[in-house]
Structure formats: C-alpha cells, structure tokens
Amino acid sequence: PMRDAAELLAKVYRKEGRFEQALEAQLLFTQLRDSLMNEENQRAVIGFDLRRNYERQALTDSLQHASETAVQVKEIQKQKVIRNGFVGGFALVALFAAVFFMQRNRISKEKARSEELLLNILPEEVAEELKAKGEAQAVQIDQVTVLFTDFKGFTSLSENLTPRELVRDLNECFSAFDRITEKYGIEKIKTIGDAYMAAGGLPVANTTHAVDTINAALEMRDFIEEGKQRKIAAGLPYFEIRIGVHTGPVVAGIVGVKKFQYDIWGDTVNTASRMESSGEVGQVNISQATYALVEKESGRRATDADGKPRSPSNNSHPPAFTFTPRGKVQAKGKGEMEMFFVEKGI
C-alpha cells in the first residue's frame, strides 16, 4: 500500500541524508496513515451505529413482540376466564336444575304417597272435598246397601292362637276383603275387632249397589270357606263366617278433626248388623229390602223383552241370584223380620 511505501521512502531518504525528501515522504506517510485511521474509525463508527440501530430495532421488535404476546396472553386468559365462567355457570345452573328436579320429583313422590294414604282412609270424592274446603259435610244418602261380616267363635278361636298368629290370619282375611270390595266398587267403612263393614252406593249414589254388595258378600264367604278347607287339611284352627246385608238410608261423613274416618250412621247400619247376627255360618243373610232390589234385578235377567218368563232352553241370561226364604226371624232389638239366604244363580 502507499502508506507503507511512503514510510519506506522516508527511512531510505534519512539514511542517504536526503532529509528534505525524507520529510516529504514522512509527511505523506502520516497523511496516508491518518486517512486510513479515519476511514477505519469511520467504518467502526458506522458499524457501531449499525449495530446500535440493529440492537435498538431488535429491542423494539422484542418489546413489541413481548407487548403483543402479553396482549395475546391477556386475551387468552380473558377468554379462558369467560369460558371457565360460562362452564362454571352452566355447571351451576345444571346443578341447580338437577337439585330442583330431584326436589320436585321427591315432592311429587311424597304428594303421591300422601294422596295414596289419604285415599286408603277416605273415599276419593270425600278426600277431594276435604282438601278443597278443609272439611267434608255429612250427607244423607237415601239408599245404600250395608254389609257386615263376623267370625263365629272368634273369642274361643283366639285362645288357640298366639296374638301374632291371630293378627296374621285376620290380616289375610281382611286384605282379601279389601281387594273384593275394590273389585265390586263398594266402599270399605271400617273393621271392629273381627267384624268387617262395607257399603255400596256411596259416596256417589248408583243403581247397582245391592247387586254389587251381594256379589262381594258371596265372594268373601267363598274365600273364607276355601281357607277353612286348607286349615282343616293342615290340622289348624280355622275361621267360619256369617254375613248380613241390608238396604236403606244412611248419613255418611267424617267425624272428628284428627285421624279422619269416613263412617255411616242410621238404623240401616243397625239392621245390617242384625242380619249378620241372625244369620248362619257360611251363609249370606239379606233383608226384605235388599231382597226386593236384588230379586227385581234378577227377575229382569230371567224374562224376555216382552216381560214373559224365559224357558230353561232359551234362557241365555239366567237369574243372577237364587233366594231361600227364611220367613220371619227374630232379630235382637228389631222383632221379627223377613230374611233370605242368597246364592249365585245357577
């Protein structure tokens, strides 16, 4: 390079004693050296500026990126919070809904159970009136058919059974009677010891109460007879039953304010009880009033449309019942009364 050549010439001229030329060469060397240093310094400065600008730009980009990243993170967190809030809210709503439906289902079941228990105590119509008004008015019903059952020799029989066995056998019989009364649409009134009381034609009046009650009485009688035969075969004590039926007016309603009980009152109830006590074991004993209603219905079944009696060959609808007149029978507290044994028609 020229700088090195100028430096070499300056040295040569000094050795030769050519000091004027040596000075010129030295000056040239100095100029070239300073110029090169300035150029290098300039390049260094430029490089420094470039690096500084680059670093500044990099820092700016980094800060911008960090800012953008922070914004994105915040947005993600915000969306996450919103999503979590939505999910949490949905879960909370779902939880409340589940609790609500479970509670409503439980309440519905409790209500259904309460309704069922109430209907086990009261007729449906009376129960609805009691719920609506808080009370149920006693009503006069002009014609119902009342049924009484009683077991023969119950006191002596109970001496041969343990209390548990006695209650078990009574429950078996009365449960069967409950199913029978429901089958024929008559209303169970109550049990009194070993006696069972039911009535047809209430709480809503109907025209079939006498026939319905007789059918129920006969089926109760047959149930006890079948049980008797099983007990005899097993060598066990057995029940025998008397059943009495009478038709007439009663007053029906609820008494008391606790442990509601639907009951009926009137001479008809007393007379039905006398039909039972004046009857015989294994028989259904009915009064003149009941006989008149049931015989009338039975007679209609045994006549043609023109009212003429059917002959046995063309009687496709035989009488529903057959009757055995007993004449006038002494009834306690009632004097002599016409009574009839009744059986299913042949």
PDB file of all heavy atoms in Angstrom, residues 48-68:
ATOM      1  N   PHE A  48     -20.690   0.650  14.460  1.00  0.00           N
ATOM      2  CA  PHE A  48     -21.290   0.803  15.791  1.00  0.00           C
ATOM      3  C   PHE A  48     -22.720   1.324  15.671  1.00  0.00           C
ATOM      4  O   PHE A  48     -23.648   0.835  16.343  1.00  0.00           O
ATOM      5  CB  PHE A  48     -20.446   1.772  16.613  1.00  0.00           C
ATOM      6  CG  PHE A  48     -21.050   2.099  17.943  1.00  0.00           C
ATOM      7  CD1 PHE A  48     -20.976   1.177  18.995  1.00  0.00           C
ATOM      8  CD2 PHE A  48     -21.696   3.320  18.151  1.00  0.00           C
ATOM      9  CE1 PHE A  48     -21.545   1.498  20.218  1.00  0.00           C
ATOM     10  CE2 PHE A  48     -22.251   3.621  19.365  1.00  0.00           C
ATOM     11  CZ  PHE A  48     -22.179   2.707  20.420  1.00  0.00           C
ATOM     12  N   ASP A  49     -22.879   2.321  14.762  1.00  0.00           N
ATOM     13  CA  ASP A  49     -24.225   2.854  14.562  1.00  0.00           C
ATOM     14  C   ASP A  49     -25.179   1.781  14.039  1.00  0.00           C
ATOM     15  O   ASP A  49     -26.338   1.689  14.453  1.00  0.00           O
ATOM     16  CB  ASP A  49     -24.187   4.037  13.588  1.00  0.00           C
ATOM     17  CG  ASP A  49     -23.530   5.278  14.225  1.00  0.00           C
ATOM     18  OD1 ASP A  49     -23.486   5.300  15.487  1.00  0.00           O
ATOM     19  OD2 ASP A  49     -23.123   6.175  13.488  1.00  0.00           O
ATOM     20  N   LEU A  50     -24.608   1.000  13.104  1.00  0.00           N
ATOM     21  CA  LEU A  50     -25.466  -0.069  12.544  1.00  0.00           C
ATOM     22  C   LEU A  50     -25.874  -1.070  13.633  1.00  0.00           C
ATOM     23  O   LEU A  50     -27.024  -1.492  13.718  1.00  0.00           O
ATOM     24  CB  LEU A  50     -24.728  -0.769  11.400  1.00  0.00           C
ATOM     25  CG  LEU A  50     -24.563   0.037  10.097  1.00  0.00           C
ATOM     26  CD1 LEU A  50     -23.697  -0.727   9.095  1.00  0.00           C
ATOM     27  CD2 LEU A  50     -25.927   0.353   9.494  1.00  0.00           C
ATOM     28  N   ARG A  51     -24.799  -1.438  14.416  1.00  0.00           N
ATOM     29  CA  ARG A  51     -25.114  -2.408  15.479  1.00  0.00           C
ATOM     30  C   ARG A  51     -26.098  -1.827  16.480  1.00  0.00           C
ATOM     31  O   ARG A  51     -27.019  -2.512  16.950  1.00  0.00           O
ATOM     32  CB  ARG A  51     -23.826  -2.817  16.192  1.00  0.00           C
ATOM     33  CG  ARG A  51     -22.959  -3.775  15.403  1.00  0.00           C
ATOM     34  CD  ARG A  51     -21.893  -4.411  16.290  1.00  0.00           C
ATOM     35  NE  ARG A  51     -21.042  -3.428  16.922  1.00  0.00           N
ATOM     36  CZ  ARG A  51     -19.951  -2.901  16.370  1.00  0.00           C
ATOM     37  NH1 ARG A  51     -19.606  -3.242  15.120  1.00  0.00           N
ATOM     38  NH2 ARG A  51     -19.226  -2.015  17.001  1.00  0.00           N
ATOM     39  N   ARG A  52     -25.872  -0.547  16.810  1.00  0.00           N
ATOM     40  CA  ARG A  52     -26.760   0.085  17.785  1.00  0.00           C
ATOM     41  C   ARG A  52     -28.194   0.174  17.234  1.00  0.00           C
ATOM     42  O   ARG A  52     -29.161  -0.104  17.949  1.00  0.00           O
ATOM     43  CB  ARG A  52     -26.240   1.490  18.116  1.00  0.00           C
ATOM     44  CG  ARG A  52     -27.056   2.171  19.218  1.00  0.00           C
ATOM     45  CD  ARG A  52     -26.461   3.496  19.581  1.00  0.00           C
ATOM     46  NE  ARG A  52     -26.494   4.396  18.415  1.00  0.00           N
ATOM     47  CZ  ARG A  52     -25.986   5.630  18.431  1.00  0.00           C
ATOM     48  NH1 ARG A  52     -25.399   6.092  19.534  1.00  0.00           N
ATOM     49  NH2 ARG A  52     -26.029   6.388  17.359  1.00  0.00           N
ATOM     50  N   ASN A  53     -28.269   0.578  15.937  1.00  0.00           N
ATOM     51  CA  ASN A  53     -29.602   0.639  15.331  1.00  0.00           C
ATOM     52  C   ASN A  53     -30.255  -0.746  15.281  1.00  0.00           C
ATOM     53  O   ASN A  53     -31.467  -0.903  15.498  1.00  0.00           O
ATOM     54  CB  ASN A  53     -29.516   1.234  13.914  1.00  0.00           C
ATOM     55  CG  ASN A  53     -29.174   2.721  13.946  1.00  0.00           C
ATOM     56  OD1 ASN A  53     -29.414   3.407  14.954  1.00  0.00           O
ATOM     57  ND2 ASN A  53     -28.595   3.232  12.862  1.00  0.00           N
ATOM     58  N   TYR A  54     -29.397  -1.720  14.949  1.00  0.00           N
ATOM     59  CA  TYR A  54     -29.918  -3.091  14.877  1.00  0.00           C
ATOM     60  C   TYR A  54     -30.414  -3.558  16.246  1.00  0.00           C
ATOM     61  O   TYR A  54     -31.509  -4.125  16.381  1.00  0.00           O
ATOM     62  CB  TYR A  54     -28.826  -4.027  14.348  1.00  0.00           C
ATOM     63  CG  TYR A  54     -29.247  -5.491  14.387  1.00  0.00           C
ATOM     64  CD1 TYR A  54     -30.104  -6.013  13.417  1.00  0.00           C
ATOM     65  CD2 TYR A  54     -28.796  -6.314  15.413  1.00  0.00           C
ATOM     66  CE1 TYR A  54     -30.486  -7.341  13.476  1.00  0.00           C
ATOM     67  CE2 TYR A  54     -29.177  -7.640  15.469  1.00  0.00           C
ATOM     68  CZ  TYR A  54     -30.032  -8.166  14.496  1.00  0.00           C
ATOM     69  OH  TYR A  54     -30.413  -9.473  14.557  1.00  0.00           O
ATOM     70  N   GLU A  55     -29.546  -3.278  17.247  1.00  0.00           N
ATOM     71  CA  GLU A  55     -29.921  -3.695  18.600  1.00  0.00           C
ATOM     72  C   GLU A  55     -31.162  -2.949  19.069  1.00  0.00           C
ATOM     73  O   GLU A  55     -32.032  -3.505  19.738  1.00  0.00           O
ATOM     74  CB  GLU A  55     -28.758  -3.447  19.551  1.00  0.00           C
ATOM     75  CG  GLU A  55     -27.579  -4.397  19.321  1.00  0.00           C
ATOM     76  CD  GLU A  55     -26.360  -4.025  20.165  1.00  0.00           C
ATOM     77  OE1 GLU A  55     -26.442  -2.973  20.859  1.00  0.00           O
ATOM     78  OE2 GLU A  55     -25.373  -4.768  20.134  1.00  0.00           O
ATOM     79  N   ARG A  56     -31.180  -1.619  18.691  1.00  0.00           N
ATOM     80  CA  ARG A  56     -32.355  -0.834  19.083  1.00  0.00           C
ATOM     81  C   ARG A  56     -33.620  -1.400  18.419  1.00  0.00           C
ATOM     82  O   ARG A  56     -34.661  -1.530  19.050  1.00  0.00           O
ATOM     83  CB  ARG A  56     -32.138   0.625  18.680  1.00  0.00           C
ATOM     84  CG  ARG A  56     -33.294   1.547  19.096  1.00  0.00           C
ATOM     85  CD  ARG A  56     -33.026   2.953  18.605  1.00  0.00           C
ATOM     86  NE  ARG A  56     -31.815   3.477  19.238  1.00  0.00           N
ATOM     87  CZ  ARG A  56     -31.145   4.537  18.798  1.00  0.00           C
ATOM     88  NH1 ARG A  56     -31.552   5.140  17.686  1.00  0.00           N
ATOM     89  NH2 ARG A  56     -30.078   4.972  19.425  1.00  0.00           N
ATOM     90  N   GLN A  57     -33.459  -1.705  17.101  1.00  0.00           N
ATOM     91  CA  GLN A  57     -34.596  -2.262  16.372  1.00  0.00           C
ATOM     92  C   GLN A  57     -35.004  -3.627  16.940  1.00  0.00           C
ATOM     93  O   GLN A  57     -36.188  -3.950  17.093  1.00  0.00           O
ATOM     94  CB  GLN A  57     -34.267  -2.393  14.875  1.00  0.00           C
ATOM     95  CG  GLN A  57     -35.454  -2.847  14.017  1.00  0.00           C
ATOM     96  CD  GLN A  57     -36.580  -1.849  14.060  1.00  0.00           C
ATOM     97  OE1 GLN A  57     -36.349  -0.636  14.004  1.00  0.00           O
ATOM     98  NE2 GLN A  57     -37.801  -2.350  14.189  1.00  0.00           N
ATOM     99  N   ALA A  58     -33.927  -4.403  17.269  1.00  0.00           N
ATOM    100  CA  ALA A  58     -34.197  -5.726  17.847  1.00  0.00           C
ATOM    101  C   ALA A  58     -34.921  -5.591  19.190  1.00  0.00           C
ATOM    102  O   ALA A  58     -35.850  -6.340  19.502  1.00  0.00           O
ATOM    103  CB  ALA A  58     -32.891  -6.495  18.011  1.00  0.00           C
ATOM    104  N   LEU A  59     -34.439  -4.589  19.972  1.00  0.00           N
ATOM    105  CA  LEU A  59     -35.077  -4.363  21.261  1.00  0.00           C
ATOM    106  C   LEU A  59     -36.522  -3.913  21.065  1.00  0.00           C
ATOM    107  O   LEU A  59     -37.425  -4.370  21.776  1.00  0.00           O
ATOM    108  CB  LEU A  59     -34.290  -3.311  22.049  1.00  0.00           C
ATOM    109  CG  LEU A  59     -34.851  -2.951  23.430  1.00  0.00           C
ATOM    110  CD1 LEU A  59     -34.913  -4.187  24.321  1.00  0.00           C
ATOM    111  CD2 LEU A  59     -33.997  -1.863  24.077  1.00  0.00           C
ATOM    112  N   THR A  60     -36.682  -2.986  20.094  1.00  0.00           N
ATOM    113  CA  THR A  60     -38.039  -2.518  19.802  1.00  0.00           C
ATOM    114  C   THR A  60     -38.945  -3.666  19.383  1.00  0.00           C
ATOM    115  O   THR A  60     -40.082  -3.806  19.842  1.00  0.00           O
ATOM    116  CB  THR A  60     -38.001  -1.441  18.704  1.00  0.00           C
ATOM    117  OG1 THR A  60     -37.187  -0.349  19.150  1.00  0.00           O
ATOM    118  CG2 THR A  60     -39.411  -0.945  18.391  1.00  0.00           C
ATOM    119  N   ASP A  61     -38.375  -4.476  18.434  1.00  0.00           N
ATOM    120  CA  ASP A  61     -39.153  -5.636  17.977  1.00  0.00           C
ATOM    121  C   ASP A  61     -39.452  -6.578  19.138  1.00  0.00           C
ATOM    122  O   ASP A  61     -40.561  -7.144  19.243  1.00  0.00           O
ATOM    123  CB  ASP A  61     -38.399  -6.382  16.878  1.00  0.00           C
ATOM    124  CG  ASP A  61     -38.282  -5.553  15.601  1.00  0.00           C
ATOM    125  OD1 ASP A  61     -39.057  -4.562  15.475  1.00  0.00           O
ATOM    126  OD2 ASP A  61     -37.431  -5.897  14.754  1.00  0.00           O
ATOM    127  N   SER A  62     -38.433  -6.759  19.989  1.00  0.00           N
ATOM    128  CA  SER A  62     -38.609  -7.655  21.129  1.00  0.00           C
ATOM    129  C   SER A  62     -39.673  -7.127  22.082  1.00  0.00           C
ATOM    130  O   SER A  62     -40.539  -7.876  22.556  1.00  0.00           O
ATOM    131  CB  SER A  62     -37.278  -7.827  21.874  1.00  0.00           C
ATOM    132  OG  SER A  62     -37.460  -8.660  23.009  1.00  0.00           O
ATOM    133  N   LEU A  63     -39.589  -5.772  22.337  1.00  0.00           N
ATOM    134  CA  LEU A  63     -40.587  -5.181  23.216  1.00  0.00           C
ATOM    135  C   LEU A  63     -41.991  -5.262  22.602  1.00  0.00           C
ATOM    136  O   LEU A  63     -42.975  -5.537  23.290  1.00  0.00           O
ATOM    137  CB  LEU A  63     -40.222  -3.726  23.510  1.00  0.00           C
ATOM    138  CG  LEU A  63     -38.978  -3.510  24.382  1.00  0.00           C
ATOM    139  CD1 LEU A  63     -38.648  -2.034  24.465  1.00  0.00           C
ATOM    140  CD2 LEU A  63     -39.194  -4.099  25.776  1.00  0.00           C
ATOM    141  N   GLN A  64     -42.050  -4.999  21.304  1.00  0.00           N
ATOM    142  CA  GLN A  64     -43.333  -5.072  20.618  1.00  0.00           C
ATOM    143  C   GLN A  64     -43.891  -6.491  20.661  1.00  0.00           C
ATOM    144  O   GLN A  64     -45.082  -6.716  20.900  1.00  0.00           O
ATOM    145  CB  GLN A  64     -43.193  -4.597  19.167  1.00  0.00           C
ATOM    146  CG  GLN A  64     -44.536  -4.558  18.425  1.00  0.00           C
ATOM    147  CD  GLN A  64     -44.365  -4.002  17.014  1.00  0.00           C
ATOM    148  OE1 GLN A  64     -43.270  -3.613  16.621  1.00  0.00           O
ATOM    149  NE2 GLN A  64     -45.451  -3.975  16.276  1.00  0.00           N
ATOM    150  N   HIS A  65     -42.958  -7.440  20.413  1.00  0.00           N
ATOM    151  CA  HIS A  65     -43.371  -8.837  20.448  1.00  0.00           C
ATOM    152  C   HIS A  65     -43.853  -9.221  21.846  1.00  0.00           C
ATOM    153  O   HIS A  65     -44.870  -9.913  22.014  1.00  0.00           O
ATOM    154  CB  HIS A  65     -42.198  -9.729  20.023  1.00  0.00           C
ATOM    155  CG  HIS A  65     -42.535 -11.196  20.107  1.00  0.00           C
ATOM    156  ND1 HIS A  65     -43.404 -11.808  19.226  1.00  0.00           N
ATOM    157  CD2 HIS A  65     -42.093 -12.158  20.978  1.00  0.00           C
ATOM    158  CE1 HIS A  65     -43.509 -13.094  19.544  1.00  0.00           C
ATOM    159  NE2 HIS A  65     -42.728 -13.333  20.598  1.00  0.00           N
ATOM    160  N   ALA A  66     -43.069  -8.723  22.851  1.00  0.00           N
ATOM    161  CA  ALA A  66     -43.448  -9.023  24.232  1.00  0.00           C
ATOM    162  C   ALA A  66     -44.801  -8.399  24.554  1.00  0.00           C
ATOM    163  O   ALA A  66     -45.643  -8.998  25.234  1.00  0.00           O
ATOM    164  CB  ALA A  66     -42.390  -8.518  25.197  1.00  0.00           C
ATOM    165  N   SER A  67     -45.005  -7.154  24.035  1.00  0.00           N
ATOM    166  CA  SER A  67     -46.275  -6.481  24.272  1.00  0.00           C
ATOM    167  C   SER A  67     -47.420  -7.239  23.613  1.00  0.00           C
ATOM    168  O   SER A  67     -48.483  -7.447  24.203  1.00  0.00           O
ATOM    169  CB  SER A  67     -46.203  -5.055  23.749  1.00  0.00           C
ATOM    170  OG  SER A  67     -47.453  -4.408  23.906  1.00  0.00           O
ATOM    171  N   GLU A  68     -47.165  -7.629  22.334  1.00  0.00           N
ATOM    172  CA  GLU A  68     -48.184  -8.385  21.617  1.00  0.00           C
ATOM    173  C   GLU A  68     -48.461  -9.719  22.309  1.00  0.00           C
ATOM    174  O   GLU A  68     -49.620 -10.158  22.422  1.00  0.00           O
ATOM    175  CB  GLU A  68     -47.754  -8.610  20.169  1.00  0.00           C
ATOM    176  CG  GLU A  68     -47.714  -7.320  19.342  1.00  0.00           C
ATOM    177  CD  GLU A  68     -47.157  -7.563  17.960  1.00  0.00           C
ATOM    178  OE1 GLU A  68     -46.691  -8.704  17.699  1.00  0.00           O
ATOM    179  OE2 GLU A  68     -47.200  -6.641  17.128  1.00  0.00           O
TER     180      GLU A  68
END
